[in-house]
Amino acid sequence: QVQLVESGGGSAQSGGSLRLSCVASGETYTIYCMGWFRQVLGKEREAIARIFSDGSTSYSDSVKGRFTISQDKVKDTLYLQMNSLNPEDAASYYCAADPYNWCTSDTYEYKYWGQGTQVAVSS
């Protein structure tokens, strides 16, 4: 089993930056890829960034060029650097881990989830 804990959420001004962290514990050696998802009230949770076992990454069009996903495997920590924030980025952000090596953008294919961290962006 794997446990995930996010941190780093908070408030930022439009154009500002935040960095989210996600610490994994437990059987982290079973993880093939990880991702960041976000969800706003009344909408579906969406994948915004993924990092695969070979270190390659994938981003949604809405965040590409502004957000960067990275990981420190020694510390079992996943990061999301968010730059050029805008009000549309306000959401609950979740990290997720996939032990199946499917590494898709579908939420149901990720076995482990964090509790979420809130991000607010003011104009």
Side-chain angles (χ1 to χ4, degrees):
Q1 300 297 305
V2 173
Q3 296 79 46
L4 304 174
V5 180
E6 303 100 333
S7 63
S11 298
Q13 293 184 334
S14 182
S17 299
L18 287 172
R19 189 177 77 158
L20 306 183
S21 299
C22 174
V23 179
S25 60
E27 298 177 308
T28 59
Y29 58 87
T30 65
I31 298 174
Y32 277 92
C33 57
M34 300 187 72
W36 286 99
F37 294 72
R38 68 184 183 188
Q39 185 172 27
V40 298
L41 185 64
K43 296 185 178 181
E44 295 182 348
R45 188 172 299 182
E46 65 169 339
I48 57 172
R50 291 170 287 159
I51 186 164
F52 309 106
S53 59
D54 64 357
S56 61
T57 58
S58 180
Y59 299 92
S60 67
D61 290 339
S62 62
V63 307
K64 186 176 298 183
R66 300 188 299 122
F67 292 8
T68 302
I69 186 172
S70 61
Q71 65 184 171
D72 184 335
K73 292 186 176 181
V74 175
K75 296 182 179 296
D76 284 331
T77 302
L78 182 74
Y79 302 98
L80 183 68
Q81 179 65 47
M82 304 187 293
N83 297 328
S84 301
L85 288 165
N86 58 60
E88 288 69 42
D89 295 318
S92 296
Y93 283 74
Y94 302 85
C95 64
D98 172 18
Y100 309 120
N101 200 26
W102 296 335
C103 303
T104 72
S105 61
D106 295 322
T107 60
Y108 61 84
E109 294 182 349
Y110 288 77
K111 184 176 182 179
Y112 306 109
W113 292 86
Q115 294 297 313
T117 185
Q118 304 297 314
V119 171
V121 184
S122 62
S123 60

PDB file of all heavy atoms in Angstrom, residues 92-106:
ATOM      1  N   SER A  92      -8.946  22.265  -6.149  1.00  0.00           N
ATOM      2  CA  SER A  92      -8.334  21.318  -5.240  1.00  0.00           C
ATOM      3  C   SER A  92      -7.374  20.466  -6.053  1.00  0.00           C
ATOM      4  O   SER A  92      -7.764  19.896  -7.070  1.00  0.00           O
ATOM      5  CB  SER A  92      -9.388  20.435  -4.574  1.00  0.00           C
ATOM      6  OG  SER A  92     -10.251  21.194  -3.757  1.00  0.00           O
ATOM      7  N   TYR A  93      -6.138  20.375  -5.598  1.00  0.00           N
ATOM      8  CA  TYR A  93      -5.121  19.636  -6.323  1.00  0.00           C
ATOM      9  C   TYR A  93      -4.797  18.340  -5.593  1.00  0.00           C
ATOM     10  O   TYR A  93      -4.611  18.330  -4.373  1.00  0.00           O
ATOM     11  CB  TYR A  93      -3.853  20.471  -6.479  1.00  0.00           C
ATOM     12  CG  TYR A  93      -3.977  21.534  -7.546  1.00  0.00           C
ATOM     13  CD1 TYR A  93      -4.739  22.680  -7.333  1.00  0.00           C
ATOM     14  CD2 TYR A  93      -3.344  21.381  -8.786  1.00  0.00           C
ATOM     15  CE1 TYR A  93      -4.882  23.642  -8.316  1.00  0.00           C
ATOM     16  CE2 TYR A  93      -3.472  22.337  -9.774  1.00  0.00           C
ATOM     17  CZ  TYR A  93      -4.244  23.468  -9.535  1.00  0.00           C
ATOM     18  OH  TYR A  93      -4.373  24.425 -10.519  1.00  0.00           O
ATOM     19  N   TYR A  94      -4.716  17.262  -6.351  1.00  0.00           N
ATOM     20  CA  TYR A  94      -4.471  15.935  -5.808  1.00  0.00           C
ATOM     21  C   TYR A  94      -3.287  15.290  -6.509  1.00  0.00           C
ATOM     22  O   TYR A  94      -3.150  15.395  -7.731  1.00  0.00           O
ATOM     23  CB  TYR A  94      -5.685  15.024  -6.002  1.00  0.00           C
ATOM     24  CG  TYR A  94      -6.959  15.532  -5.376  1.00  0.00           C
ATOM     25  CD1 TYR A  94      -7.777  16.436  -6.047  1.00  0.00           C
ATOM     26  CD2 TYR A  94      -7.346  15.086  -4.118  1.00  0.00           C
ATOM     27  CE1 TYR A  94      -8.952  16.895  -5.474  1.00  0.00           C
ATOM     28  CE2 TYR A  94      -8.521  15.536  -3.544  1.00  0.00           C
ATOM     29  CZ  TYR A  94      -9.317  16.437  -4.226  1.00  0.00           C
ATOM     30  OH  TYR A  94     -10.489  16.884  -3.663  1.00  0.00           O
ATOM     31  N   CYS A  95      -2.463  14.598  -5.752  1.00  0.00           N
ATOM     32  CA  CYS A  95      -1.457  13.750  -6.374  1.00  0.00           C
ATOM     33  C   CYS A  95      -1.971  12.318  -6.363  1.00  0.00           C
ATOM     34  O   CYS A  95      -2.780  11.932  -5.518  1.00  0.00           O
ATOM     35  CB  CYS A  95      -0.100  13.854  -5.674  1.00  0.00           C
ATOM     36  SG  CYS A  95      -0.046  13.291  -3.963  1.00  0.00           S
ATOM     37  N   ALA A  96      -1.520  11.538  -7.317  1.00  0.00           N
ATOM     38  CA  ALA A  96      -1.966  10.167  -7.461  1.00  0.00           C
ATOM     39  C   ALA A  96      -0.814   9.287  -7.920  1.00  0.00           C
ATOM     40  O   ALA A  96       0.103   9.749  -8.596  1.00  0.00           O
ATOM     41  CB  ALA A  96      -3.120  10.084  -8.464  1.00  0.00           C
ATOM     42  N   ALA A  97      -0.879   8.017  -7.551  1.00  0.00           N
ATOM     43  CA  ALA A  97       0.154   7.056  -7.907  1.00  0.00           C
ATOM     44  C   ALA A  97      -0.462   5.844  -8.590  1.00  0.00           C
ATOM     45  O   ALA A  97      -1.519   5.360  -8.178  1.00  0.00           O
ATOM     46  CB  ALA A  97       0.935   6.623  -6.671  1.00  0.00           C
ATOM     47  N   ASP A  98       0.220   5.361  -9.610  1.00  0.00           N
ATOM     48  CA  ASP A  98      -0.240   4.244 -10.428  1.00  0.00           C
ATOM     49  C   ASP A  98       0.750   3.095 -10.316  1.00  0.00           C
ATOM     50  O   ASP A  98       1.892   3.219 -10.757  1.00  0.00           O
ATOM     51  CB  ASP A  98      -0.377   4.699 -11.885  1.00  0.00           C
ATOM     52  CG  ASP A  98      -0.656   3.564 -12.850  1.00  0.00           C
ATOM     53  OD1 ASP A  98      -1.075   2.470 -12.406  1.00  0.00           O
ATOM     54  OD2 ASP A  98      -0.473   3.770 -14.069  1.00  0.00           O
ATOM     55  N   PRO A  99       0.332   1.952  -9.741  1.00  0.00           N
ATOM     56  CA  PRO A  99       1.221   0.795  -9.660  1.00  0.00           C
ATOM     57  C   PRO A  99       1.077  -0.158 -10.830  1.00  0.00           C
ATOM     58  O   PRO A  99       1.730  -1.194 -10.856  1.00  0.00           O
ATOM     59  CB  PRO A  99       0.764   0.120  -8.358  1.00  0.00           C
ATOM     60  CG  PRO A  99      -0.714   0.366  -8.360  1.00  0.00           C
ATOM     61  CD  PRO A  99      -0.903   1.742  -8.982  1.00  0.00           C
ATOM     62  N   TYR A 100       0.252   0.168 -11.806  1.00  0.00           N
ATOM     63  CA  TYR A 100      -0.071  -0.743 -12.898  1.00  0.00           C
ATOM     64  C   TYR A 100       0.701  -0.460 -14.178  1.00  0.00           C
ATOM     65  O   TYR A 100       0.638  -1.258 -15.113  1.00  0.00           O
ATOM     66  CB  TYR A 100      -1.562  -0.686 -13.205  1.00  0.00           C
ATOM     67  CG  TYR A 100      -2.438  -0.856 -11.997  1.00  0.00           C
ATOM     68  CD1 TYR A 100      -3.333   0.146 -11.620  1.00  0.00           C
ATOM     69  CD2 TYR A 100      -2.374  -2.005 -11.226  1.00  0.00           C
ATOM     70  CE1 TYR A 100      -4.142  -0.002 -10.514  1.00  0.00           C
ATOM     71  CE2 TYR A 100      -3.181  -2.156 -10.111  1.00  0.00           C
ATOM     72  CZ  TYR A 100      -4.068  -1.149  -9.764  1.00  0.00           C
ATOM     73  OH  TYR A 100      -4.880  -1.304  -8.659  1.00  0.00           O
ATOM     74  N   ASN A 101       1.377   0.651 -14.236  1.00  0.00           N
ATOM     75  CA  ASN A 101       2.122   1.076 -15.422  1.00  0.00           C
ATOM     76  C   ASN A 101       1.204   1.343 -16.612  1.00  0.00           C
ATOM     77  O   ASN A 101       1.608   1.195 -17.761  1.00  0.00           O
ATOM     78  CB  ASN A 101       3.202   0.053 -15.807  1.00  0.00           C
ATOM     79  CG  ASN A 101       4.284   0.666 -16.685  1.00  0.00           C
ATOM     80  OD1 ASN A 101       4.530   1.865 -16.651  1.00  0.00           O
ATOM     81  ND2 ASN A 101       4.934  -0.174 -17.487  1.00  0.00           N
ATOM     82  N   TRP A 102      -0.030   1.733 -16.341  1.00  0.00           N
ATOM     83  CA  TRP A 102      -0.915   2.168 -17.416  1.00  0.00           C
ATOM     84  C   TRP A 102      -0.645   3.621 -17.758  1.00  0.00           C
ATOM     85  O   TRP A 102      -0.608   4.015 -18.915  1.00  0.00           O
ATOM     86  CB  TRP A 102      -2.380   1.976 -17.002  1.00  0.00           C
ATOM     87  CG  TRP A 102      -2.755   0.548 -16.772  1.00  0.00           C
ATOM     88  CD1 TRP A 102      -2.165  -0.556 -17.315  1.00  0.00           C
ATOM     89  CD2 TRP A 102      -3.817   0.071 -15.947  1.00  0.00           C
ATOM     90  NE1 TRP A 102      -2.792  -1.694 -16.880  1.00  0.00           N
ATOM     91  CE2 TRP A 102      -3.810  -1.339 -16.038  1.00  0.00           C
ATOM     92  CE3 TRP A 102      -4.772   0.685 -15.147  1.00  0.00           C
ATOM     93  CZ2 TRP A 102      -4.728  -2.138 -15.347  1.00  0.00           C
ATOM     94  CZ3 TRP A 102      -5.694  -0.103 -14.455  1.00  0.00           C
ATOM     95  CH2 TRP A 102      -5.663  -1.502 -14.563  1.00  0.00           C
ATOM     96  N   CYS A 103      -0.539   4.445 -16.693  1.00  0.00           N
ATOM     97  CA  CYS A 103      -0.093   5.826 -16.818  1.00  0.00           C
ATOM     98  C   CYS A 103      -0.957   6.646 -17.772  1.00  0.00           C
ATOM     99  O   CYS A 103      -0.452   7.425 -18.580  1.00  0.00           O
ATOM    100  CB  CYS A 103       1.370   5.873 -17.251  1.00  0.00           C
ATOM    101  SG  CYS A 103       2.497   5.005 -16.149  1.00  0.00           S
ATOM    102  N   THR A 104      -2.254   6.476 -17.659  1.00  0.00           N
ATOM    103  CA  THR A 104      -3.177   7.242 -18.481  1.00  0.00           C
ATOM    104  C   THR A 104      -3.621   8.484 -17.727  1.00  0.00           C
ATOM    105  O   THR A 104      -3.204   8.742 -16.598  1.00  0.00           O
ATOM    106  CB  THR A 104      -4.408   6.408 -18.850  1.00  0.00           C
ATOM    107  OG1 THR A 104      -5.241   6.237 -17.698  1.00  0.00           O
ATOM    108  CG2 THR A 104      -3.989   5.046 -19.380  1.00  0.00           C
ATOM    109  N   SER A 105      -4.497   9.251 -18.345  1.00  0.00           N
ATOM    110  CA  SER A 105      -5.054  10.439 -17.716  1.00  0.00           C
ATOM    111  C   SER A 105      -6.388  10.164 -17.036  1.00  0.00           C
ATOM    112  O   SER A 105      -7.023  11.094 -16.539  1.00  0.00           O
ATOM    113  CB  SER A 105      -5.230  11.552 -18.756  1.00  0.00           C
ATOM    114  OG  SER A 105      -6.119  11.146 -19.786  1.00  0.00           O
ATOM    115  N   ASP A 106      -6.795   8.907 -16.975  1.00  0.00           N
ATOM    116  CA  ASP A 106      -8.077   8.540 -16.379  1.00  0.00           C
ATOM    117  C   ASP A 106      -7.930   8.357 -14.876  1.00  0.00           C
ATOM    118  O   ASP A 106      -7.065   7.609 -14.406  1.00  0.00           O
ATOM    119  CB  ASP A 106      -8.614   7.254 -16.996  1.00  0.00           C
ATOM    120  CG  ASP A 106      -8.944   7.403 -18.463  1.00  0.00           C
ATOM    121  OD1 ASP A 106      -9.456   8.477 -18.846  1.00  0.00           O
ATOM    122  OD2 ASP A 106      -8.697   6.456 -19.232  1.00  0.00           O
TER     123      ASP A 106
END
